[in-house]
Amino acid sequence: MKVAVYPGSFDPITNGHIDILNKTSKLFDKIIVSVVHNVTKNALFSLEERVEMIKESTNHMDNIEVDSFNGLLSNYLQEKQAIAIIRGLRTVSDFEYEMHMSMMNKMLIPEVDTIFIMSDSKNIYVSSSGIKEAALLGGDISSLVPKAVNMRLGEKIKKND
Ligand code: COA
């Protein structure tokens, strides 16, 4: 079985991530979307909330599993017997960061390659932090996120008011 892991902070998952999943779900038997606790980022949603939102947003795809992990991605890939890491590329500015990360992962686990997928042009300006900022300031971001995320963002903003 060809298993790939799509790791990320997903705080929250956006239509940009869904686009990458729609494209790659045809290439693998199973994709594990895995939420990583990134210590360098201040998350709005808990790990559990992010996992829930991904489950709700991907329930139309039958080969997607949702999970989370702490620690090194390379150890997680080994545990899941994954053959690939999936990452999306939006603009050239993503490239350098992604290249370094893929090289580091290649050194740690040589048998796994990173597969890069270009984002649709309509998603190249979409980022989780941009969406959170716009939503918190009252902007309508409903066209950029799955319905479940739009709802939860609305609830979160009400709670934080
Ligand atoms: N569409 C829309 N947005 C996209 C996107 C796409 N196709 N691809 C990336 N993004 C955005 C995300 O929304 C996110 O936005 P934000 O910064 O505003 O939150 C940003 O691009 C990149 O975030 P993400 O894809 O979640 O990656 P990350 O940089 O937060 O984390 C990990 C990368 C989790 C894969 C990496 O940190 C990791 O592997 N951690 C585990 C520890 C480890 O093994 N470290 C050594 C590896 S080198």
Side-chain angles (χ1 to χ4, degrees):
M1 187 187 251
K2 287 184 186 161
V3 178
V5 169
Y6 185 17
S9 312
F10 301 109
D11 185 43
I13 190 165
T14 70
N15 286 347
H17 298 120
I18 298 290
D19 165 44
I20 301 297
L21 280 172
N22 279 332
K23 287 169 176 153
T24 49
S25 63
K26 298 173 194 132
L27 307 177
F28 296 95
D29 298 310
K30 182 165 84 176
I31 295 180
I32 307 173
V33 185
S34 204
V35 183
V36 185
H37 174 61
N38 189 336
V39 283
T40 66
K41 286 185 176 176
N42 235 339
L44 177 67
F45 292 99
S46 70
L47 219 61
E48 293 74 22
E49 287 174 316
R50 285 181 263 163
V51 165
E52 272 310 304
M53 284 187 282
I54 300 171
K55 282 185 181 162
E56 290 162 6
S57 310
T58 58
N59 57 14
H60 60 289
M61 291 181 245
D62 55 14
N63 60 343
I64 306 287
E65 196 178 291
V66 189
D67 192 20
S68 63
F69 75 95
N70 269 317
L72 266 185
L73 176 62
S74 51
N75 292 343
Y76 181 76
L77 294 164
Q78 205 155 30
E79 182 197 315
K80 296 292 172 187
Q81 298 187 318
I83 59 162
I85 304 164
I86 293 170
R87 297 290 290 168
L89 285 178
R90 292 163 298 174
T91 55
V92 169
S93 56
D94 279 345
F95 179 75
E96 203 171 337
Y97 169 67
E98 292 294 340
M99 185 182 72
H100 289 146
M101 202 157 60
S102 78
M103 285 177 169
M104 179 63 88
N105 282 319
K106 189 75 184 164
M107 187 275 291
L108 292 167
I109 183 162
E111 63 274 29
V112 176
D113 279 298
T114 305
I115 307 287
F116 294 106
I117 297 286
M118 288 305 299
S119 289
D120 266 4
S121 54
K122 66 175 188 291
N123 294 319
I124 57 172
Y125 67 95
V126 177
S127 75
S128 301
S129 46
I131 283 170
K132 285 182 285 191
E133 186 177 346
L136 288 165
L137 295 172
D140 177 7
I141 47 79
S142 56
S143 61
L144 306 179
V145 293
K147 273 197 184 111
V149 173
N150 192 36
M151 239 173 57
R152 293 218 189 204
L153 255 175
E155 287 165 10
K156 196 61 121 186
I157 290 165
K158 260 190 217 154
K159 245 190 218 167
N160 290 353
D161 259 353

